Amino acid sequence: MAATIVFIARRIVTLNPSIPCATHVAVRDGRILGVGGPEVRDAFGPASVDDRFAARVLLPGFVEGHGHAGAGQIWARPYVGFFDRTDPDGQVWCGIKSIPELVGRLKELQAKLPDADAPLLAWGFDPIYFGGPRLGRADLDSVSATRPVIVGHISGHIINVNTPVLDAAGFSRDSNLDGLLRDAGGDLTGELLGPAVMNRAARVVPTWRDLRAYDVPGLRAFASMARRVGVTTSTDLVNPLTPDGEAALRAATGADDYPLRLVPALSQREYATEAGVARLQALRGTSTDKLRFGLVKLVLDGSIQGFSARLRWPGYHNGAPNGLFYIAPDELEGILGAYHRGGAVIHVHTNGDEASELAIETFERVLAAHPRPDHRHTLQHGQMIDAPLFRRMRVLGMCANLFANHVYYWGDQHAAVTMGPSRAQRLDACGTALREGVPLAIHSDAPVTPLAPLFTAQCAAARRTPSGALLGADERISVADAIRAITLGPAYTLKLDNLVGSIDVGKFADFAVLETDPHEVAAEELADIPVHGTILGGRATA
């Protein structure tokens, strides 16, 4: 018989309605054998006792239902975002507060490059905080008129490039392509929106695309980030799943000391539809305890703060043109239908409410033609979904994974610039989702915002912006609901709630080790709770 370990904690919050709180949990073969009080110690025969967490609180390991494993390796490039950020090595990168400051930082960085022709690549830029003129080609040409310069926006949906990149990609004043921004005179500004034009530019600077080429060190860095914030299961919610990438995933997760379960989602746009369905079906049969396949990710529009999301009337509050559909609306049904019939769990990125409505309408037709019980298709982000749309989602059996961190990082800007003061009140409407009976998860979209589930829970429960404004008081959810939305909620959207998300017999013995029970603090204090690491499969990782 395998050895049994009994973990003792000051308090164990199980999210199991039969035994909501406990002090002891027995583990065998990496799974939960029993949970309760002191009687658990002797209930399953001889057992060793691990009391190192006797003064701590155990919760189910947090589940990041919309993260990107590339967050571990994107720090190979310099960060130029607005907010201060800490990299996987603990270095704090100070935020950029103006375009002149950005240009100055880029000039400093390019002066340190050893090769005069080497590209300068940076990430994290977000011009919505600055007002005034946007970053232009001339700004980046002033950094270098000879080497390629690419500055990626924090959303991942926009890049700014200099003239050498535009020329190498074949973009000119005469180019007739969606996503090429122009100035008042019709000249290209160097701002590129959407995957079509971004990928064409990236092809001429291969090292930019290399950031998507997953490797074991990057995957280990991501797992280390996750462990520090209590995450034991995370998606990688858009992965090309190339043979090399698959090999890196298997090598990383196959190591005994790898402290994270990964759930990669096949990137729909990397494959012809039937080939993608076949690829996902082949992978699904090769899942392991720490590497789970079965998701496909579609990206339907862009970002609201980047003005590339699709909004319903009255459009953008500041009068900006509507954004882009990354998938042609008349092609969407064929794609969704094929993956649905192929058994995939479909996750669709929709930021603007027009994109969400299109996805819901299309799922209505697909599900009417091909009913499938318990499909759990999910809208990701869904930042402008209103009550009528949530009601339609409930009828269809759909889930919502809302980007609660947006309330903090962009709430003030959405109220003033993109959505206006009324629609911004329903930004990431967690309260309405629960009232309408839609299964709810919340997320960070790391590296777009930092991976930190307790902060994400705080955003959903407190709804405070950086200015201190309370945005959408009636969309606040309770601390208990917020904790569920970072544990059982995302586990449900991933069809893994039978294995993770709560502390119950038969599930993986995955726990977050905290200083305090989140249910005992105010919503505004959730992010301040110290996290002391995780336990994965009954094995302490810190």
Side-chain angles (χ1 to χ4, degrees), residues 51 212 214 224 266 299 308 371 390 474 511:
D51 62 359
R212 298 176 59 203
Y214 294 85
S224 179
L266 180 84
V299 181
S308 57
F390 278 127
D474 293 325
F511 316 127

Side-chain angles (χ1 to χ4, degrees), residues 354-388:
E354 185 181 19
S356 293
E357 185 172 52
L358 173 64
I360 293 165
E361 290 174 347
T362 308
F363 272 120
E364 285 172 338
R365 294 193 296 272
V366 167
L367 289 164
H370 302 282
R372 193 179 108 198
D374 199 28
H375 53 78
R376 305 194 199 179
H377 300 325
T378 300
L379 294 191
Q380 292 282 349
H381 300 330
Q383 295 194 65
M384 297 181 73
I385 300 176
D386 60 12

Side-chain angles (χ1 to χ4, degrees), residues 287-307:
S287 293
T288 68
D289 283 352
K290 288 200 287 188
L291 183 61
R292 295 273 167 168
F293 299 104
L295 307 184
V296 62
K297 169 76 173 295
L298 284 70
V299 181
L300 194 49
D301 69 342
S303 76
I304 299 170
Q305 72 273 19
F307 303 98

Side-chain angles (χ1 to χ4, degrees), residues 275-292:
V277 172
R279 173 71 170 144
L280 190 58
Q281 289 175 330
L283 286 168
R284 195 162 50 208
T286 68
S287 293
T288 68
D289 283 352
K290 288 200 287 188
L291 183 61
R292 295 273 167 168

Side-chain angles (χ1 to χ4, degrees), residues 203-483:
R203 280 194 291 271
V204 305
V205 186
T207 48
W208 178 262
R209 292 181 65 86
D210 286 349
L211 291 176
R212 298 176 59 203
Y214 294 85
D215 58 28
V216 172
L219 292 169
R220 292 193 68 87
F222 180 66
S224 179
M225 295 165 60
R227 178 191 57 76
R228 289 199 295 266
V229 295
V231 173
T232 54
T233 298
S234 177
T235 54
D236 179 28
L237 207 66
V238 60
N239 191 313
L241 289 176
T242 63
D244 287 346
E246 178 193 349
L249 287 166
R250 294 193 187 280
T253 60
D256 287 343
D257 65 345
Y258 192 73
L260 184 65
R261 303 188 197 279
L262 276 177
V263 188
L266 180 84
S267 174
Q268 166 269 329
R269 68 182 176 220
E270 303 288 339
Y271 294 85
T273 300
E274 295 304 325
V277 172
R279 173 71 170 144
L280 190 58
Q281 289 175 330
L283 286 168
R284 195 162 50 208
T286 68
S287 293
T288 68
D289 283 352
K290 288 200 287 188
L291 183 61
R292 295 273 167 168
F293 299 104
L295 307 184
V296 62
K297 169 76 173 295
L298 284 70
V299 181
L300 194 49
D301 69 342
S303 76
I304 299 170
Q305 72 273 19
F307 303 98
S308 57
R310 293 288 302 196
L311 275 58
R312 297 187 301 196
W313 186 90
Y316 284 98
H317 184 62
N318 68 347
N322 210 347
L324 305 174
F325 279 124
Y326 291 176
I327 300 172
D330 60 357
E331 296 178 0
L332 182 61
E333 185 172 347
I335 297 169
L336 289 181
Y339 281 101
H340 172 76
R341 294 190 302 274
V345 179
I346 304 172
H347 288 240
V348 185
H349 162 123
T350 64
N351 265 315
D353 47 4
E354 185 181 19
S356 293
E357 185 172 52
L358 173 64
I360 293 165
E361 290 174 347
T362 308
F363 272 120
E364 285 172 338
R365 294 193 296 272
V366 167
L367 289 164
H370 302 282
R372 193 179 108 198
D374 199 28
H375 53 78
R376 305 194 199 179
H377 300 325
T378 300
L379 294 191
Q380 292 282 349
H381 300 330
Q383 295 194 65
M384 297 181 73
I385 300 176
D386 60 12
L389 291 177
F390 278 127
R391 285 193 283 271
R392 292 167 71 180
M393 292 174 66
R394 180 195 65 215
V395 170
L396 295 172
M398 295 180 65
C399 309
N401 191 342
L402 303 183
F403 197 172
N405 285 15
H406 245 262
V407 174
Y408 179 82
Y409 281 98
W410 290 279
D412 290 324
Q413 285 69 35
H414 288 322
V417 180
T418 65
M419 299 181 195
S422 298
R423 286 180 295 174
Q425 302 303 307
R426 73 165 191 259
L427 174 67
D428 295 292
C430 297
T432 298
L434 290 179
R435 286 189 291 271
E436 297 299 338
V438 174
L440 175 69
I442 54 179
H443 65 265
S444 70
D445 197 13
V448 176
T449 69
L451 179 65
L454 287 172
F455 175 79
T456 300
Q458 177 173 308
C459 288
R463 293 188 67 90
R464 293 286 179 180
T465 72
S467 69
L470 173 57
L471 188 66
D474 293 325
E475 293 297 349
R476 289 176 294 184
I477 60 177
S478 69
V479 168
D481 284 334
I483 296 302

